[in-house]
Amino acid sequence: MRDKNFARRAIDSLAKYLITVGGIGTIVAVLLVFLFLTYTVIPLFKSGEVSDRKSVVVSNELSFKHAVVDEYGLLGVVFDGKSFSAISMFNGEILTKFNIDGEIIGYNFNSKDDSYTISDSKGRLMVAKMNFGKNNIKSGDTTGNPNYSIRDGKIVEIDGDAESEYSVDIKVEEILQKDYKIVLVDSVSSENSRFLAFLDENKVLHIDLLSSKENMLTGEISQTIDESLLDMSGIIGGSFPKYLKINSSKTNIMLFFEDSRFINVDTKNFDNPFVLEDKKLFNDGRKITYLDFLIGRNTILVGDDKGNLTTWWSVESSLSKNNFQLTNIHTFSSGDETPVRFIYPSKRDKSFLVLNESNTISLYHMTSGKKLFQTKLEGINSQIGLMNQKNNKIFVIGKKNIAIFDINIPHPEVTFKSIFGKVQYELTNKPEHVWQSSSGSDDFEPKFGLMPLIFGTIKGTIIAMIFAVPIAIMGAIYTSEFAHKRYRNSIKSTIEVMASLPSVVLGFIAALIVSPFVENIVLGLIFCIIMIPFSLIFMGHLSQLLPKNTLNAMDRYRLLGIAIIGIPFGIFLGMKTSVIAEKLFFYGDFKLWLHTHSYSPIGGWALILLPAGIFVTMFIYRKFLYDFYISILDGKSYTICGLIEIIKFFILTIASVFVSFLFAAILTKIGIDLRFGLPVIESIMSTYVQRNALIVGFIMGFAVIPIIYTVSEDALNAVPEHLRSASLATGATQWQTVVNIILPVAMSGIFSAVMIGFGRAIGETMIVLMAAGNTPIMDMNIFSGFRTLSANIAVELPEAVIGSTHYRILYLAALVLFVMTFIINTIAELVRIRYRKRSSQL
Amino acid sequence: MEETLKNSFDTERKTVYDPLLNNESMIISLKELRLFYGNKQALFNVNMDIPKGKVTALIGPSGCGKSTLLRCINRLNDLLDFVRIEGDITLNGESIYDKSVDLSELRKKLGMVAQKPNPFPMSIYENVVYPLKIDGVKKKSILDEACEKSLKSAGLWEEVKDRLKDNALGLSGGQQQRLCIARAIAPEPEVILMDEPCSALDPLATMKIEELILSLRGDYTVAIVTHNMQQAARVSDYTAFMYMGYLVEYGNTINIFKKPRLKDTEDYITGRFG
Ligand SMILES: Nc1ncnc2c1ncn2[C@@H]1O[C@H](COP(=O)(O)OP(=O)(O)OP(=O)(O)O)[C@@H](O)[C@H]1O
Ligand SMILES: [Mg+2]
């Protein structure tokens, strides 16, 4: 007896222990996932680190206009207007010097290939190219703590056993020789051509295209020069512009004056350049003190004498199309109101350094508008600030010393707002939500706005739910309340088998079978969706005309019979009516109508608003006409009543269609079009894409039907039998019992079934991946594709570099998804708990 | 004792009827009613007429088929797929098992009160007017009036008139049962079928319901199943004794209780049975 008790207790406590461990384990696992995601995401929002200032005292005084530093931040080249000098950045010593004979007047730095385009007083145009190099002399174990020294004009790095040399080779090439003075010059080079623009002393703008061609046979290189001229002396007047810049696409040559005057020359037509714009950038008398391009030659960074930095690019005017105007986009104020002395754009991303007269150095990221770093330097007579290509060192070079900061800001482009808010990206004319993580071009700026993905997720889910919820719930009602008990279990297990269909198979079916099939019969399909319920209800009405005996004898097979006849008839009707409707309301071609904005949107509106039309009609009928209708039926025979019912059904149908057309006409009259320009959702029906939301929603609906069905069937079955028979005993029909008693009691269970389905649809990946076209757009158009958070993670995570912004943002996407499903499941669970409490009272 | 009863039945299978029954006009007639739960027969050739405007009690040991018989009358047994019914029942001379019978129309004529209170999980008011609303009655004045009237008949009005909008599940068991009675009589059915309406109630509540049954007499036909002999004696005009699916003896309540014709009936009534 004792032994037995002991064994029982042991088993008891073991079971308890196991259950506890299992339960806590689950919670811990979920928490760990959450923590891991958060841990990966958090660095995105950290501001980064900047080391304390390191000062290097320079023996020889430095004085110059521009400088460039190598990738590693060891070797720099400074340009003082006469010569280029290579200096070591860690002690300021001059390593080599390259003198240019003659007085240099115009120069422009090209950060793409570390070259300067320069012009001298003798009419020479030259390109000075800095070729930085690293030479591994000895390889071996490194300590990570290198020692630097200078040898033969090179920097030698000794790190443990390894030894490397850093050097720069300065090559100056003369490209043109003119016999007049060239005041301003800029050039953009591509593989075997160079686009040059320069302004001579007579204010004539020269636009030259130098192209070199290699003779295949002789290997000789021949050069051709095309030139077009634009005499600007009349336009420019007395003063001289201070800056001349060519934009990246070589379509505009921009001249800037100190007093903020700006002249834009359009060179789209090379032989016929003309002045496009001539205006003042600042209306309040501010002067331009420094100006440069941001990386990519698209954005102009303007420093003024009040210490502000403004960014500018050409934006299509809101008033007239094709009229581009240089427009101020951002303004950065450092708080230091002394003039901007120097601007240095990063070679890596859209950030830039600004140096003020009173030695404030600021680092900003343009797109995110984030201030990454700012400090006021003491004890330095700063001239320029620069960064190496890795963006991990800032140098401020003064006359006698150099200040160095080691910086580590891994995600300068990320702010909470840049991810979830609208961002105005370069060259766009308004802030937008964009997701575009990669592109073919080099100086592409990744756009990490999660909103399109969240939007896509919600779009896919909503459409899936619109399909799945009615079908699943109706199915559950049928099996639990109407189907013969004998078949109930087999129906249920069949549908549950459906759940085990891998979603990749569904995706495959959607993408390769359904999409091409639907493409040709879109409108027909939509009409089928409308006509099948219509036909079912119609068949229901018709069945009332059958003799009562037959009807009662049919009993529960009645619904089955209605379905078997009604569904094919509905499809037939749908196909037939769609052809007529296409002729009447969609100008004979539905797909053309979708993207032809000159066609009236009324047909589409009516289609979309049909549910609203039905609802309003039914409401009016129920509220005002029901009693009248009942009074008509009074005293009539059963068959006559059935006939009257059918007539009523047709009248209500026509009235519903009429009401929806009424709504449609009102909206059309107001000028709201469902095909474009709707706020937030953009459109409801627009240009047709083969792999679209409607199909994905439909197929995804199939993926979630089983779970919704099963859970709601259970909820319906859980309704106590005595309520069912109590209701039937009062004379209620089965349907009345379902609507008035069963559904309200099971409602919370059904609700949580829907929520579970919702959670499943939100996380669904494969179907969307395969069939949704994966376009991250913010458009509710049911005929366009979309991209969901989960599909996006699946597509992009493998190609994201670990630790990169992209990588972390994908984790953020995962976190957002996690939070979304978590919230939905929590709501579902809360409702279910409430539902359990309520049903335990029954 | 049980042995003998069974034996005598297996041989005779004849119900003993009270000639007094012949003076009554009948509303419901059960004719050779046989019912099978799958393979198991639960009712054997029951022939029974229920007099109009009278209270008829059904008594008998547990499992003898009283509830089954009652549920046959409003065809609630149809809900079970495995039930097979033979024979016929007529209401006012018309067969209720005819194919052309509209079930909901039929059930509207037959109010039912179950053994266990089964109010709907909605307000008291909604519970009472549910049968009317189902029938398409929309006018609030009619509904209000019907609600008050039925609740008054069920003796519940005074207790709930200030909280008609409260959930019915908040009522006590006895109140719930009276609410179910109110619901059953709200659409003014012809017959009220009660299956042990007082089984879960205290003596006071039982008394109230008995009073109610007595007051219904005349206007309504009542068929009531009960295990309480005193109750049957107090409320009913006629009593039917059932055993093992057979109707054994059926007659005037006074006769059945004072001088039962069969010894088995007497044994059951006096508690010497089983
Ligand atoms: N749903 C059912 N399925 C199978 N057999 C049933 C079912 N309901 C009742 N029975 C059987 O039919 C017989 C009669 O049952 P019934 O419920 O009518 O008895 P009763 O006289 O009402 O008993 P009680 O006084 O205990 O309520 C019993 O033997 C019972 O086992
Ligand atoms: Mg019973």
Side-chain angles (χ1 to χ4, degrees):
Chain A
M1 200 60 195
R2 242 229 187 117
D3 273 348
K4 214 173 163 188
N5 262 345
F6 175 76
R8 197 165 61 192
R9 259 208 304 277
I11 290 172
D12 261 17
S13 56
L14 186 71
K16 204 187 242 168
Y17 176 75
L18 279 177
I19 291 166
T20 317
V21 166
I24 292 177
T26 317
I27 295 172
V28 167
V30 171
L31 265 178
L32 276 181
V33 170
F34 184 76
L35 279 181
F36 175 63
L37 292 178
T38 317
Y39 173 78
T40 317
V41 163
I42 279 189
L44 280 177
F45 300 103
K46 281 208 178 130
S47 53
E49 299 146 11
V50 178
S51 75
D52 288 340
R53 167 181 173 185
K54 280 179 269 179
S55 284
V56 174
V57 180
V58 189
S59 46
N60 41 322
E61 194 169 287
L62 301 166
S63 154
F64 43 80
K65 295 184 159 138
H66 202 275
V68 51
V69 66
D70 74 349
E71 191 183 339
Y72 313 97
L74 288 171
L75 197 71
V77 173
V78 294
F79 171 61
D80 60 6
K82 289 192 226 34
S83 61
F84 294 97
S85 316
I87 61 166
S88 85
M89 295 310 289
F90 55 86
N91 65 6
E93 206 173 292
I94 295 182
L95 305 173
T96 51
K97 201 162 181 165
F98 193 102
N99 275 315
I100 290 163
D101 48 334
E103 189 201 344
I104 292 173
I105 318 173
Y107 72 93
N108 236 322
F109 178 63
N110 209 337
S111 71
K112 209 168 170 184
D113 55 359
D114 289 336
S115 70
Y116 290 89
T117 314
I118 46 183
S119 66
D120 71 2
S121 51
K122 292 177 197 155
R124 274 196 304 169
L125 277 169
M126 291 167 281
V127 171
K129 200 160 181 242
M130 316 297 136
N131 296 311
F132 291 101
K134 179 186 179 183
N135 205 358
N136 284 343
I137 294 174
K138 239 167 50 191
S139 52
D141 295 336
T142 55
T143 59
N145 197 0
N147 246 323
Y148 297 104
S149 56
I150 296 168
R151 186 172 68 203
D152 306 334
K154 289 173 179 165
I155 291 173
V156 180
E157 179 192 68
I158 298 175
D159 185 358
D161 297 332
E163 197 179 321
S164 328
E165 258 181 10
Y166 297 86
S167 59
V168 60
D169 177 22
I170 304 171
K171 270 218 167 75
V172 178
E173 189 192 347
E174 187 183 312
I175 48 171
L176 278 180
Q177 169 75 61
K178 300 280 179 186
D179 48 8
Y180 38 80
K181 230 161 104 179
I182 292 164
V183 185
L184 290 169
V185 63
D186 194 9
S187 81
V188 180
S189 71
S190 53
E191 208 178 328
N192 40 26
S193 73
R194 180 176 289 276
F195 187 87
L196 264 168
F198 53 93
L199 192 70
D200 68 19
E201 53 192 331
N202 301 320
K203 294 173 186 165
V204 176
L205 181 66
H206 301 248
I207 306 160
D208 285 28
L209 186 63
L210 279 56
S211 19
S212 44
K213 225 186 222 159
E214 196 184 322
N215 188 316
M216 289 294 191
L217 292 174
T218 60
E220 223 175 297
I221 294 171
S222 60
Q223 212 173 43
T224 53
I225 303 174
D226 295 314
E227 185 171 66
S228 65
L229 301 175
L230 180 66
D231 185 356
M232 298 185 72
S233 54
I235 304 166
I236 290 177
S239 59
F240 243 98
K242 212 173 151 197
Y243 303 92
L244 182 152
K245 300 277 174 189
I246 305 170
N247 74 347
S248 62
S249 50
K250 299 164 217 159
T251 52
N252 296 82
I253 293 165
M254 295 177 260
L255 298 166
F256 299 90
F257 295 69
E258 192 164 10
D259 64 351
S260 89
R261 184 174 171 199
F262 160 67
I263 297 176
N264 191 359
V265 177
D266 188 303
T267 58
K268 270 189 208 92
N269 184 346
F270 183 85
D271 299 320
N272 221 343
F274 64 95
V275 174
L276 183 72
E277 266 178 284
D278 182 1
K279 66 176 181 191
K280 271 201 160 178
L281 297 186
F282 303 131
N283 299 322
D284 54 2
R286 278 185 283 163
K287 289 193 165 57
I288 297 178
T289 52
Y290 197 87
L291 181 147
D292 206 344
F293 268 125
L294 193 67
I295 184 178
R297 283 185 173 260
N298 291 315
T299 305
I300 301 272
L301 303 171
V302 178
D304 66 35
D305 59 344
K306 292 282 184 288
N308 303 306
L309 187 129
T310 42
T311 66
W312 303 73
W313 62 70
S314 286
V315 166
E316 197 169 26
S317 153
S318 53
L319 301 171
S320 57
K321 262 201 157 186
N322 277 325
N323 177 14
F324 286 86
Q325 284 185 340
L326 196 70
T327 311
N328 179 203
I329 311 295
H330 311 87
T331 300
F332 296 88
S333 305
S334 60
D336 184 337
E337 291 186 1
T338 57
V340 171
R341 171 174 282 163
F342 193 76
I343 299 167
Y344 193 86
S346 156
K347 288 188 190 174
R348 182 189 168 97
D349 56 29
K350 304 282 178 191
S351 46
F352 54 88
L353 272 176
V354 184
L355 185 64
N356 288 70
E357 291 283 353
S358 60
N359 299 327
T360 303
I361 182 95
S362 323
L363 177 64
Y364 300 104
H365 188 272
M366 181 192 72
T367 321
S368 66
K370 201 156 136 186
K371 182 195 283 178
L372 305 171
F373 166 62
Q374 187 171 66
T375 188
K376 196 170 158 74
L377 296 168
E378 302 294 341
I380 188 167
N381 195 352
S382 61
Q383 303 176 69
I384 58 170
L386 58 157
M387 281 191 291
N388 60 339
Q389 187 159 11
K390 286 184 171 164
N391 266 19
N392 62 5
K393 277 190 165 75
I394 293 177
F395 302 93
V396 179
I397 306 181
K399 278 208 161 61
K400 286 212 174 68
N401 47 13
I402 304 176
I404 305 173
F405 298 91
D406 289 322
I407 58 168
N408 177 20
I409 304 171
H411 312 292
E413 69 272 56
V414 176
T415 58
F416 200 75
K417 192 184 164 284
S418 80
I419 294 175
F420 295 105
K422 286 185 175 181
V423 175
Q424 183 164 15
Y425 292 99
E426 215 176 23
L427 298 186
T428 58
N429 57 357
K430 59 175 190 295
E432 264 167 320
H433 295 290
V434 187
W435 176 274
Q436 193 188 0
S437 59
S438 59
S439 132
S441 88
D442 284 346
D443 44 336
F444 161 76
E445 182 185 19
K447 301 168 183 68
F448 297 122
L450 282 184
M451 270 340 223
L453 306 178
I454 296 173
F455 187 92
T457 306
I458 295 171
K459 176 178 170 184
T461 310
I462 287 178
I463 297 180
M465 294 312 271
I466 287 176
F467 279 115
V469 169
I471 296 179
I473 293 179
M474 290 291 183
I477 291 174
Y478 178 75
T479 30
S480 115
E481 305 300 322
F482 294 95
H484 203 287
K485 291 253 169 17
R486 215 178 309 148
Y487 307 123
R488 188 182 289 176
N489 284 331
S490 44
I491 295 177
K492 203 171 169 187
S493 33
T494 311
I495 293 184
E496 274 158 12
V497 164
M498 230 173 90
S500 61
L501 206 62
S503 57
V504 72
V505 174
L506 287 176
F508 176 83
I509 294 172
L512 296 173
I513 300 171
V514 182
S515 303
F517 173 72
V518 168
E519 193 171 16
N520 303 318
I521 50 161
V522 205
L523 196 63
L525 209 73
I526 294 175
F527 270 76
C528 283
I529 296 172
I530 298 168
M531 282 303 173
I532 289 174
F534 170 83
S535 147
L536 288 176
I537 300 171
F538 177 60
M539 290 299 156
H541 279 89
L542 270 189
S543 74
Q544 284 189 330
L545 294 184
L546 292 174
K548 240 181 170 179
N549 289 351
T550 334
L551 211 53
N552 287 328
M554 275 167 75
D555 190 32
R556 52 169 52 103
Y557 297 105
R558 179 170 162 190
L559 276 180
L560 203 64
I562 287 175
I564 287 171
I565 303 171
I567 291 175
F569 184 64
I571 293 172
F572 171 79
L573 267 185
M575 287 299 169
K576 286 283 169 231
T577 44
S578 74
V579 174
I580 301 168
E582 193 161 17
K583 280 211 186 83
L584 284 178
F585 305 112
F586 300 109
Y587 299 81
D589 187 345
F590 181 62
K591 272 200 244 162
L592 187 69
W593 172 85
L594 280 175
H595 54 83
T596 311
H597 294 175
S598 54
Y599 291 168
S600 159
I602 190 163
W605 271 129
L607 208 56
I608 291 288
L609 290 172
L610 192 60
I614 294 172
F615 183 81
V616 169
T617 313
M618 284 316 285
F619 181 79
I620 292 171
Y621 163 71
R622 275 289 183 179
K623 193 97 192 164
F624 305 109
L625 301 170
Y626 186 72
D627 291 334
F628 167 71
Y629 175 68
I630 293 295
S631 70
I632 294 178
L633 289 188
D634 210 27
K636 304 269 189 329
S637 85
Y638 183 79
T639 323
I640 301 291
C641 285
L643 274 175
I644 296 175
E645 283 273 278
I646 291 179
I647 294 167
K648 174 201 85 175
F649 172 66
F650 274 112
I651 292 175
L652 285 181
T653 305
I654 292 165
S656 300
V657 173
F658 179 78
V659 171
S660 36
F661 264 100
L662 196 72
F663 291 158
I666 292 170
L667 286 173
T668 309
K669 197 94 199 161
I670 299 173
I672 304 173
D673 194 324
L674 78 168
R675 293 168 298 176
F676 63 95
L678 297 177
V680 186
I681 60 169
E682 187 60 29
S683 67
I684 300 171
M685 265 185 185
S686 191
T687 311
Y688 190 87
V689 179
Q690 196 197 39
R691 296 187 181 179
N692 59 50
L694 194 70
I695 289 166
V696 175
F698 182 67
I699 298 290
M700 214 151 87
F702 271 91
V704 295
I705 280 174
I707 184 81
I708 301 180
Y709 168 83
T710 315
V711 177
S712 32
E713 222 262 359
D714 288 345
L716 289 169
N717 266 335
V719 176
E721 195 57 41
H722 66 80
L723 286 184
R724 204 167 278 129
S725 41
S727 169
L728 291 173
T730 60
T733 62
Q734 244 173 328
W735 184 243
Q736 284 173 321
T737 305
V738 167
V739 171
N740 294 300
I741 307 294
I742 314 280
L743 277 184
V745 172
M747 196 37 99
S748 34
I750 292 173
F751 177 76
S752 73
V754 170
M755 289 307 243
I756 291 169
F758 205 84
R760 179 100 20 127
I762 278 190
E764 174 56 55
T765 312
M766 249 5 251
I767 297 175
V768 181
L769 197 64
M770 296 181 74
N774 283 321
T775 41
I777 47 169
M778 291 196 50
D779 187 334
M780 208 56 192
N781 178 8
I782 54 173
F783 296 127
S784 72
F786 59 94
R787 183 185 281 207
T788 64
L789 287 164
S790 58
N792 187 63
I793 295 166
V795 172
E796 295 190 357
L797 199 55
E799 70 196 29
V801 181
I802 292 176
S804 66
T805 306
H806 185 199
Y807 177 84
R808 292 189 195 282
I809 287 191
L810 289 178
Y811 270 82
L812 179 64
L815 190 65
V816 170
L817 191 59
F818 185 89
V819 169
M820 277 166 85
T821 38
F822 186 78
I823 290 172
I824 284 165
N825 285 338
T826 308
I827 293 172
E829 197 49 41
L830 289 178
V831 170
R832 209 165 40 194
I833 289 168
R834 231 199 67 182
Y835 149 74
R836 274 210 205 106
K837 259 195 212 138
R838 235 179 70 176
S839 59
S840 65
Q841 282 181 11
L842 299 172
Chain B
M1 187 67 74
E2 203 178 343
E3 266 316 294
T4 49
L5 189 79
K6 208 171 181 180
N7 289 341
S8 66
F9 239 84
D10 280 344
T11 48
E12 289 178 41
R13 294 184 189 181
K14 268 241 153 49
T15 314
V16 177
Y17 295 99
D18 187 336
L20 270 177
L21 278 164
N22 299 334
N23 305 340
E24 297 288 347
S25 72
M26 299 301 179
I27 180 162
I28 293 173
S29 300
L30 286 62
K31 291 171 186 158
E32 292 290 309
L33 191 69
R34 293 179 297 281
L35 184 138
F36 303 83
Y37 284 117
N39 294 324
K40 183 176 173 294
Q41 188 162 5
L43 292 177
F44 297 87
N45 297 20
V46 175
N47 285 296
M48 179 178 172
D49 295 333
I50 296 173
K52 191 172 182 154
K54 295 282 153 64
V55 178
T56 306
L58 281 166
I59 58 170
S62 184
C64 68
K66 306 179 295 292
S67 300
T68 304
L69 189 135
L70 216 57
R71 289 160 56 87
C72 277
I73 298 174
N74 71 351
R75 286 190 63 177
L76 270 185
N77 281 325
D78 289 24
L79 293 181
L80 304 171
D81 296 300
F82 52 91
V83 166
R84 186 157 52 86
I85 297 164
E86 291 168 4
D88 197 10
I89 299 176
T90 59
L91 176 69
N92 292 325
E94 281 173 38
S95 166
I96 66 165
Y97 277 95
D98 193 86
K99 285 243 178 284
S100 66
V101 167
D102 186 327
L103 277 185
S104 66
E105 286 305 319
L106 170 74
R107 286 177 185 148
K108 276 171 196 159
K109 294 183 204 145
L110 307 163
M112 173 97 178
V113 181
Q115 192 162 349
K116 220 180 110 207
N118 55 4
F120 302 130
M122 31 180 152
S123 71
I124 296 169
Y125 177 84
E126 290 293 330
N127 259 283
V128 179
V129 301
Y130 180 78
L132 302 175
K133 279 199 164 173
I134 284 304
D135 210 14
V137 179
K138 280 226 150 86
K139 269 223 176 71
K140 197 162 176 334
S141 57
I142 299 178
L143 294 177
D144 286 352
E145 197 183 312
C147 174
E148 185 177 340
K149 193 176 153 218
S150 337
L151 281 173
K152 273 184 177 154
S153 320
L156 195 60
W157 177 250
E158 289 303 320
E159 285 155 72
V160 300
K161 65 177 176 195
D162 299 323
R163 48 176 181 140
L164 289 175
K165 292 279 170 275
D166 290 6
N167 197 308
L169 296 177
L171 295 173
S172 78
Q175 290 172 325
Q176 287 188 5
Q177 191 63 303
R178 275 179 283 150
L179 178 67
C180 291
I181 294 173
R183 184 177 67 194
I185 59 182
E188 305 188 335
E190 295 174 33
V191 182
I192 299 172
L193 308 168
M194 294 180 168
D195 193 351
E196 297 180 54
C198 306
S199 64
L201 304 185
D202 69 295
L204 209 73
T206 305
M207 215 175 75
K208 279 193 174 164
I209 288 180
E210 284 179 13
E211 278 167 18
L212 166 68
I213 294 169
L214 289 172
S215 72
L216 293 174
R217 213 169 122 203
D219 298 333
Y220 299 93
T221 306
V222 178
I224 177 170
V225 172
T226 176
H227 278 289
N228 182 333
M229 294 309 119
Q230 282 78 29
Q231 185 174 59
R234 279 195 299 267
V235 301
S236 70
D237 302 298
Y238 293 92
T239 299
F241 172 56
M242 290 181 70
Y243 182 66
M244 303 268 303
Y246 293 94
L247 178 59
V248 181
E249 185 170 349
Y250 182 25
N252 186 290
T253 301
I254 297 166
N255 292 342
I256 292 266
F257 280 87
K258 289 272 159 62
K259 38 178 184 179
R261 298 179 181 209
L262 292 178
K263 187 159 179 305
D264 309 316
T265 318
E266 190 184 343
D267 287 345
Y268 180 74
I269 288 163
T270 52
R272 270 178 279 151
F273 185 83

